[in-house]
Amino acid sequence: MSKKISAASARSHTRKTKQIKSSIPLPSGMFGKILAVLFVGFVAYAYRAMQPPPSKICGTPDGPPVTSPRIKLSDGRYLAYKEHGVPRDQAKHKIVFIHGYDSNRHDAVVATGLSPEVIESLGVYIVSIDRPGYGESDPNPKRTVKSLAFDIQEFADQLGLGSKFYVIGFSMGGQAVWTLLKYIPHRLAGAALLAPVTNYWWPNFPANLSKEAFSHQLPQDIWNLRVAHYLPWLTYWWNTQKFFPACSAAAYNPGALSSQDLELMPKYRANRDLYAQVRQQGQHESLYRDLMIGFGTWEFDPVDLENPFPNKEGSVQLWQGDEDKLVPVTLQRYIAQRQPWIQYHEIAGAGHMFPVLDGMADKIVKALLIGEKNVS
């Protein structure tokens, strides 16, 4: 006789069969191979995400047009420039102006703010350059702390500025002036640093002083600068990802500006149509390279520099606003105290944008060229 099977028994048998089938093991080593493939895929994705796109070089078929005069350097790169003041061949004083972060040759705050009276009476000629990667100057993927100093020396020779010339740098351009004082002091007639960016990792800063100054920066900048210093190869990704906010200066974050800076910003950005060229070749070799160089490991410390004018044949002027939120005044004071040959001008109530103030360009240039006192 046939044995009857209940519905419940049938369902139980089916479940057991499915459980047996689902527990069939993968072939030996298959799980490890799957993990390896996933890992390689992740690494490939991460590598692509960290690689910046190629720069769009000015004058190339895929790049922006060349609209300014340029000097070709010995390595084949070009530096773009703009001239201000009296004609070069009639000048009594020749000045190279170095722009700041996220800017270009048009943003020569001293040249554009200088009065006609000072220009004519002192015979002032100013040439502002595009730093490598900005505007119409070719990028320099091999850029180092010292490379800009030698770029400017060669540029000055080709332009015929003479055996000695003056230099003025603002913000990140002011930081670059330290490198000229280090590597080509014999070519300088004088130097002015306007709110020069400080590197929190310069070794001569007392640890407590630099730590306190660093802690006053916006949280997004603290992390951004840490990445630029400790993990420079990650700088491009950090500033282009969408998970965390990137550099506040590049975004013109109001939180990084003083009350005076906020008042001056409309004046500073009045001709922003001229600044459309700033990032046109790509942000990696301009903005992000600035961060990697400016906050990386330096080969020297400004506090260790020797007086480039021991016979007082020239001067080094350091200007700083005491309410600057981008560049801590405490660190500038320390540098000035350790280097008594620096003529330090601290401007009460001023922020980072003080060079834009009415009459300030005249004061800066007079102090540098003729040693006029009581100008700050």
Side-chain angles (χ1 to χ4, degrees):
M1 293 178 66
S2 60
K3 187 177 179 181
K4 292 184 179 180
I5 301 175
S6 67
S9 298
R11 286 194 298 270
S12 175
H13 178 74
T14 301
R15 283 196 297 269
K16 289 179 180 179
T17 303
K18 288 181 179 179
Q19 289 174 359
I20 292 173
K21 288 181 180 180
S22 64
S23 64
I24 296 176
L26 293 171
S28 178
M30 180 63 72
F31 184 70
K33 291 178 181 178
I34 292 174
L35 284 179
V37 169
L38 292 174
F39 176 75
V40 170
F42 173 77
V43 170
Y45 169 79
Y47 178 79
R48 286 195 300 270
M50 290 186 290
Q51 297 305 303
S55 299
K56 298 179 180 179
I57 309 297
C58 285
T60 62
D62 296 328
V66 175
T67 64
S68 68
R70 305 198 300 175
I71 291 289
K72 187 176 183 180
L73 302 177
S74 57
D75 65 359
R77 290 181 297 112
Y78 286 90
L79 280 186
Y81 64 94
K82 182 177 182 179
E83 297 176 293
H84 316 257
V86 303
R88 191 190 323 152
D89 58 357
Q90 299 176 20
K92 299 175 184 177
H93 301 95
K94 298 173 182 177
I95 302 172
V96 176
F97 181 85
I98 309 174
H99 67 77
Y101 182 77
D102 197 18
S103 188
N104 68 357
R105 67 191 182 281
H106 295 299
D107 189 21
V109 291
V110 170
T112 56
L114 204 57
S115 68
E117 292 77 18
V118 171
I119 292 174
E120 295 298 329
S121 64
L122 297 181
V124 180
Y125 163 86
I126 300 178
V127 56
S128 54
I129 64 168
D130 281 338
R131 291 193 288 113
Y134 282 103
E136 296 183 16
S137 286
D138 290 345
N140 182 8
K142 298 180 180 179
R143 182 174 152 202
T144 64
V145 170
K146 67 171 66 173
S147 61
L148 182 61
F150 295 108
D151 283 353
I152 290 178
Q153 177 175 241
E154 185 178 353
F155 171 83
D157 288 339
Q158 292 202 41
L159 203 59
L161 299 187
S163 60
K164 288 182 179 289
F165 52 90
Y166 295 88
V167 62
I168 299 177
F170 173 46
S171 192
M172 192 67 81
Q175 187 191 63
V177 173
W178 292 124
T179 70
L180 276 74
L181 291 168
K182 169 66 175 179
Y183 297 111
I184 61 166
H186 58 287
R187 299 301 306 274
L188 303 181
L193 302 88
L194 316 180
V197 170
T198 50
N199 185 328
Y200 299 96
W201 290 272
W202 283 338
N204 280 318
F205 283 143
N208 61 331
L209 184 67
S210 58
K211 183 178 181 180
E212 180 183 3
F214 193 41
S215 69
H216 290 159
Q217 299 299 297
L218 293 178
Q220 66 191 79
D221 289 332
I222 290 176
W223 283 104
N224 192 29
L225 299 186
R226 282 174 176 164
V227 169
H229 181 78
Y230 295 109
L231 302 169
W233 48 271
L234 201 59
T235 302
Y236 169 77
W237 176 84
W238 185 269
N239 282 276
T240 55
Q241 49 75 37
K242 306 300 182 184
F243 303 105
F244 312 104
C247 179
S248 64
Y252 291 93
N253 186 334
L257 301 175
S258 71
S259 57
Q260 185 190 78
D261 288 337
L262 293 173
E263 293 175 3
L264 292 173
M265 190 55 67
K267 180 179 179 181
Y268 176 68
R269 303 185 70 179
N271 295 319
R272 290 305 292 183
D273 55 318
L274 297 176
Y275 307 147
Q277 299 176 351
V278 171
R279 308 181 186 185
Q280 66 180 355
Q281 297 186 89
Q283 297 186 32
H284 183 67
E285 292 299 338
S286 52
L287 276 66
Y288 309 148
R289 185 69 65 184
D290 260 3
L291 297 175
M292 290 185 281
I293 298 296
F295 297 97
T297 301
W298 278 41
E299 301 163 352
F300 73 96
D301 189 320
V303 173
D304 291 330
L305 288 176
E306 296 181 358
N307 184 356
F309 308 111
N311 300 318
K312 298 183 179 180
E313 65 275 28
S315 67
V316 176
Q317 312 268 332
L318 174 55
W319 297 74
Q320 177 67 35
D322 68 351
E323 293 187 6
D324 192 332
K325 290 186 176 182
L326 290 170
V327 180
V329 67
T330 54
L331 299 184
Q332 308 288 30
R333 289 171 182 165
Y334 182 80
I335 293 173
Q337 290 168 1
R338 289 288 302 272
Q339 298 286 34
W341 46 267
I342 293 176
Q343 296 182 26
Y344 181 59
H345 308 270
E346 187 171 305
I347 308 168
H352 195 67
M353 308 304 301
F354 71 83
V356 183
L357 288 169
D358 292 339
M360 185 57 66
D362 286 358
K363 294 180 179 180
I364 292 168
V365 169
K366 285 182 178 181
L368 179 63
L369 301 186
I370 60 176
E372 184 169 312
K373 305 296 183 180
N374 302 318
V375 294
S376 53

